[in-house]
Amino acid sequence: MKASALILIVGSALVLQVAAQLDPVCDSCPSKNCTYDKRLSCSCTGLNRTIEIVDPGDREYFNVSLGFVVDNTGSMRTEIASVKSSIQAVVTGTSGIFDKYVIGTYNDPYVANVFESTDASAINSFVSTINANAGGDCPEMAMHGIRDVADRLSPGSVIFLFTDASSKDLALEPDVKALLESKNIRLNVMATGNLCGMGAEFSRLTTATNGTIYRTPDKSDVDFVMNYIKNFAKYGIRFIRGMPTTLEDLKAIADGNCSCKTSIENLVCIEPPTKSCPCPEGFEHIVVKKKVCVPGPCKKHKYGSLGFVIDNTGSMAAEIFAVRAHIANIMANNTVFKDYVVATFGDPYKKNVIRSSDESVIQSFVNSISPSAGGDCPEFAMSGIEDAAKKARKNSVLVLFTDAAAKDASKLAAVKALLLAKNTKLFVIATGTFCGSGVYKGEFDDLAAASGGDVMTLTAKTSVSEVLDFLALAAAGKYSLRSFPRCLDDMRKMKPERCCKWVIHHKCKPIEPPCPLGYKRVTMRNKVCGSPNGCPRKRVGSLGFIIDDTGSMGAEIFAVRTHISAIMANNTVFKDYVVSRYGDPYVKNVIRSSDASAIQSFVNAIAPSGGGDCPEYAMSAIEDAAKEALENSVLILFTDAAAKDANMSADVAALLVSKKIKLYVIGTGQFCGPKVYKGEYDYLAAASGGSVMKLTAKTSVGEVLNFIGLAASGMTSFDSLPSTLEGLHGMPYQDNCWIEEISTCMCDCYDRP
């Protein structure tokens, strides 16, 4: 289910509005499709204001876990008792809501210490054994702790990290980020200290996972966060995945003496409109959904101020003239900012800042800026950023234009704290070398990362105009400011945001003859496209298909058999092909060949049989396919079951990485359910640079194979394979494509969940 959520406290009512599709709430509707409001009504003492809980439209997850990662080095000695009691209170208060709890600790040196259980008392017993000791330096081994807890969590879960130090093991950060993103796990950090004066890695990870850093030097602040979880988890995981992003808002609701209950209101079933005329004899009425997209986001994010912090020393003439020429266009197109801030800084520093919603006032101020003085490097950038941030509203965006490092870099910690307190992002447009590596110490990168911004490096000052054109589109809501391109090439490749909706069409379709007893009719959709023109490309690696051939996989096997000849005919990317099949018990059965007829014959011989239980021997088949494949290959696994041999995951991951092989998993079932599936496919995909795509219907495999054909022909990239069928529908394709449908009767002998 895709949904957006907004919590409003108005008087004494807390409201969550939800627009839902294909949701269990809609089961009472004949079409299983509806819209509704989910209302959380709370009677609270002393509250009379609006609080927004940010939820970027994630689906409602079921069977999710709650994870805790605890830094138990010596410096946490004063906080550890409070952290332990808070975790135990949450576990006790939410018993039965989460599918399991996972808790891990980390020290220096790192020794894995992770415990998982569905039993609240067992978790609390483990927590009681945690003590703070050792360590002694700063930073610590946080990435190891996050990785090992995340590895055991269910998709859609939430992690809370308790630490006072930054991370020593930054080499693991890319792998941790990939793991969190592949399982859609949100990371929230409870910073009980100053993080050694660093901690930008936590900002990067929480930004990537839509989590939050809560700065909780006061022990009672930890209790507020934990009380929120304990009190609101019973209303749905959305209230935990979408927690308030500031302690101020969280405190107002967590311990607000609220009595709440949830209810479904305004349920409206979406039914097909009455047909103006019946279908002819021999035809049946069908409903076809088509995705229609228009430019721009469905709901524009509202920011505070848009700020320009401009270095006006002598070398900045081109940048100043560019801002002067473009700022009127930016303000004319603005639909997301309330007002504007402009600040300048020179050498010596003299405060010069303005905030106004009057465009003529801002234009006059910018027109008065002239390059002068300076002459040395670096300059007083931190003072300029500080005064702009003080002037700006909360939730603002500041853009710094400079070619020099910060002479006042000693103010970094104070400016960083100010940006975080006002939830203000800093984007830096670098038009020079920052005085060279001997002078620049990374202060802008640190500040941007901590605030959720970024640094964009330009090779020519004349390119500033292109950046300002991009800012005009972003101010108009056509591009997101959640992130910023790091170079001109990235900026030019960015695609504007789109708002998409499903439109229902009604058609008449010939009635198919009934299938024999024990069979059911399925329709495969085959997208056929013309071959692209262009220069021949150098072929690399193997394209591999790993097929679970147990009894429940009939539809998937038929789909591969039907599509593989077209995939091979249009292939311009891969040198040869690998096909591996596996059942239960496992018998090695793999082929590699560049002969399309040999591959087709091998696939034609695959038939569903055996199995009958869940899970199956996927890891063995992946291993044998990877051993057979060339380096730089792509393997695609088709299965509906978890891996019975999941204990091989680490060895298989190492093999994939050593041969630079990417694994993509097409999941056509529930992987035997959350009690059996431990995330082994998500782990392999993340480690190898692939992904996991989950389908809700086995008949959709044909559409995935169409995508594979396009990727093999060079029309798109495997890296763009989305995680859902809806994402696949929204992808752009070549115009010279059409849809063919193949209808057939399939054996209904097996039906695995």
Side-chain angles (χ1 to χ4, degrees):
M1 179 189 75
K2 290 286 183 181
S4 59
L6 178 67
I7 289 189
L8 302 175
I9 300 181
V10 183
S12 61
L14 187 62
V15 182
L16 172 64
Q17 293 183 323
V18 179
Q21 280 191 321
L22 303 178
D23 185 277
V25 175
C26 305
D27 284 347
S28 60
C29 297
S31 64
K32 307 298 183 185
N33 197 4
C34 70
T35 62
Y36 62 88
D37 293 334
K38 190 173 183 179
R39 178 176 291 272
L40 185 64
S41 300
C42 298
S43 300
C44 303
T45 302
L47 294 180
N48 186 23
R49 65 190 184 87
T50 299
I51 293 178
E52 181 180 0
I53 288 185
V54 179
D55 186 344
D58 287 337
R59 63 180 274 260
E60 179 74 273
Y61 281 87
F62 302 96
N63 297 321
V64 300
S65 320
L66 188 59
F68 300 98
V69 182
V70 180
D71 173 355
N72 69 334
T73 56
S75 61
M76 289 286 290
R77 192 172 289 110
T78 58
E79 299 99 327
I80 202 72
S82 178
V83 169
K84 288 166 59 176
S85 63
S86 295
I87 293 174
Q88 289 172 327
V90 166
V91 171
T92 301
T94 61
S95 179
I97 294 175
F98 299 96
D99 74 335
K100 64 180 175 181
Y101 303 91
V102 181
I103 184 166
T105 65
Y106 63 91
N107 210 298
D108 190 3
Y110 180 75
V111 177
N113 185 30
V114 182
F115 182 75
E116 66 176 278
S117 178
T118 58
D119 186 347
S121 61
I123 288 290
N124 285 339
S125 295
F126 177 83
V127 172
S128 66
T129 66
I130 298 174
N131 293 301
N133 55 70
D137 61 350
C138 196
E140 308 295 354
M141 308 291 281
M143 294 297 149
H144 281 79
I146 299 170
R147 179 198 62 187
D148 288 350
V149 169
D151 194 44
R152 299 199 188 189
L153 291 173
S154 305
S157 299
V158 181
I159 291 177
F160 290 88
L161 166 67
F162 299 84
T163 186
D164 60 356
S166 57
S167 303
K168 178 181 295 186
D169 46 354
L170 291 176
L172 281 179
E173 183 184 345
D175 294 336
V176 171
K177 179 175 180 289
L179 176 61
L180 294 173
E181 290 181 331
S182 70
K183 300 180 75 171
N184 203 2
I185 293 172
R186 291 199 182 184
L187 174 67
N188 293 314
V189 178
M190 316 291 291
T192 61
N194 70 351
L195 303 179
C196 317
M198 297 180 286
E201 64 275 13
F202 296 139
S203 295
R204 291 190 291 268
L205 288 179
T206 54
T207 298
T209 62
N210 291 309
T212 300
I213 297 180
Y214 297 101
R215 299 190 178 272
T216 56
D218 190 328
K219 296 176 185 177
S220 64
D221 290 338
V222 175
D223 293 336
F224 276 118
V225 178
M226 295 293 102
N227 285 343
Y228 175 91
I229 302 169
K230 180 175 64 176
N231 294 333
F232 283 85
K234 58 189 174 186
Y235 299 113
I237 188 61
R238 179 183 289 108
F239 289 92
I240 307 304
R241 286 177 61 82
M243 291 173 62
T245 56
T246 66
L247 273 176
E248 179 187 8
D249 284 350
L250 192 142
K251 288 180 181 179
I253 191 171
D255 275 1
N257 192 21
C258 299
S259 174
C260 306
K261 64 179 181 178
T262 186
S263 60
I264 301 297
E265 297 181 355
N266 303 323
L267 177 66
V268 177
C269 293
I270 300 176
E271 305 295 345
T274 304
K275 301 186 292 292
S276 57
C277 60
C279 290
E281 185 176 352
F283 288 77
E284 62 180 341
H285 173 259
I286 61 171
V287 176
V288 179
K289 283 186 174 182
K290 182 179 180 182
K291 196 172 189 179
V292 177
C293 300
V294 296
C298 297
K299 184 178 180 181
K300 292 181 180 177
H301 186 85
K302 288 293 184 181
Y303 292 95
S305 309
L306 173 59
F308 299 82
V309 185
I310 304 170
D311 176 349
N312 68 346
T313 55
S315 61
M316 291 291 294
E319 296 89 324
I320 293 170
F321 295 148
V323 173
R324 188 184 299 170
H326 287 78
I327 197 165
N329 182 50
I330 293 172
M331 294 187 293
N333 285 284
N334 172 39
T335 61
V336 300
F337 294 97
K338 294 178 179 178
D339 56 23
Y340 312 95
V341 170
V342 182
T344 66
F345 61 93
D347 188 359
Y349 180 73
K350 181 180 180 182
K351 181 178 177 180
N352 187 27
V353 60
I354 185 176
R355 190 185 104 201
S356 177
S357 59
D358 188 326
E359 296 177 15
S360 62
V361 171
I362 295 295
Q363 184 71 64
S364 297
F365 185 90
V366 171
N367 289 346
S368 68
I369 301 173
S370 297
S372 62
D376 62 349
C377 201
E379 309 296 351
F380 287 90
M382 290 294 163
S383 298
I385 299 168
E386 181 180 45
D387 285 337
K390 287 178 179 179
K391 201 77 171 177
R393 298 172 181 266
K394 284 187 175 182
N395 304 309
S396 293
V397 170
L398 300 182
V399 186
L400 169 67
F401 296 86
T402 188
D403 58 0
K407 183 177 290 188
D408 48 355
S410 60
K411 302 180 73 172
L412 174 62
V415 176
K416 185 189 299 184
L418 174 61
L419 293 175
L420 291 171
K422 300 193 74 170
N423 196 29
T424 293
K425 292 186 176 186
L426 175 70
F427 296 104
V428 181
I429 312 302
T431 59
T433 60
F434 291 155
C435 317
S437 58
V439 177
Y440 179 62
K441 303 302 180 184
E443 56 268 22
F444 296 140
D445 291 271
D446 191 359
L447 203 54
S451 68
D454 219 326
V455 177
M456 182 182 191
T457 303
L458 302 181
T459 56
K461 290 175 175 282
T462 52
S463 301
V464 172
S465 293
E466 281 191 71
V467 178
L468 291 163
D469 287 336
F470 171 82
L471 280 175
L473 293 171
K478 295 181 179 179
Y479 286 89
S480 169
L481 280 170
R482 290 188 293 271
S483 60
F484 207 82
R486 295 183 64 88
C487 64
L488 276 180
D489 285 343
D490 287 349
M491 188 181 75
R492 291 164 181 162
K493 294 174 184 176
M494 287 185 69
K495 296 180 180 180
E497 292 195 324
R498 301 187 305 163
C499 180
C500 300
K501 64 179 181 179
W502 290 99
V503 177
I504 296 177
H505 297 277
H506 300 270
K507 295 184 177 181
C508 293
K509 177 184 176 183
I511 297 175
E512 302 283 356
C515 290
L517 183 65
Y519 286 75
K520 62 181 178 181
R521 183 165 295 282
V522 296
T523 300
M524 303 292 184
R525 300 178 73 245
N526 184 24
K527 191 159 194 170
V528 182
C529 297
S531 299
N533 297 320
C535 301
R537 66 177 71 238
K538 183 179 179 180
R539 296 178 183 242
V540 296
S542 310
L543 174 60
F545 299 81
I546 306 168
I547 304 170
D548 175 351
D549 68 355
T550 54
S552 62
M553 292 290 293
E556 297 89 326
I557 293 169
F558 175 80
V560 174
R561 187 184 302 163
T562 304
H563 289 77
I564 198 166
S565 61
I567 292 172
M568 293 188 293
N570 290 303
N571 171 37
T572 64
V573 176
F574 299 96
K575 292 181 178 179
D576 58 20
Y577 311 95
V578 171
V579 182
S580 172
R581 55 185 289 190
Y582 67 97
D584 189 356
Y586 179 73
V587 177
K588 180 179 177 181
N589 195 0
V590 60
I591 183 177
R592 190 187 109 210
S593 177
S594 59
D595 185 341
S597 62
I599 295 295
Q600 184 71 63
S601 296
F602 185 93
V603 172
N604 289 346
I606 301 175
S609 64
D613 65 343
C614 203
E616 309 296 354
Y617 286 92
M619 291 294 158
S620 298
I622 298 170
E623 181 182 55
D624 286 337
K627 287 179 178 178
E628 195 74 25
L630 300 171
E631 288 192 352
N632 300 303
S633 294
V634 168
L635 300 181
I636 304 157
L637 170 67
F638 297 84
T639 187
D640 57 5
K644 184 176 290 188
D645 46 358
N647 61 311
M648 297 174 59
S649 296
D651 292 338
V652 175
L655 174 62
L656 294 173
V657 171
S658 68
K659 297 189 71 172
K660 299 178 182 178
I661 295 174
K662 293 185 177 183
L663 175 70
Y664 296 89
V665 181
I666 311 303
T668 58
Q670 297 300 315
F671 294 154
C672 316
K675 291 186 178 180
V676 177
Y677 180 63
K678 302 303 181 184
E680 54 267 22
Y681 299 143
D682 295 271
Y683 167 69
L684 284 189
S688 66
S691 63
V692 177
M693 183 181 192
K694 293 184 179 179
L695 303 179
T696 57
K698 290 174 176 281
T699 52
S700 301
V701 172
E703 295 187 61
V704 179
L705 287 160
N706 291 329
F707 171 88
I708 294 170
L710 290 171
S713 70
M715 288 185 177
T716 188
S717 166
F718 279 100
D719 291 337
S720 62
L721 179 68
S723 60
T724 64
L725 190 65
E726 289 76 16
L728 193 64
H729 289 158
M731 291 185 63
Y733 291 101
Q734 302 290 330
D735 292 333
N736 58 334
C737 299
W738 61 95
I739 298 293
E740 289 182 351
E741 290 192 349
I742 303 172
S743 179
T744 187
C745 294
M746 295 293 297
C747 176
D748 198 18
C749 311
Y750 303 93
D751 187 15
R752 178 186 291 156

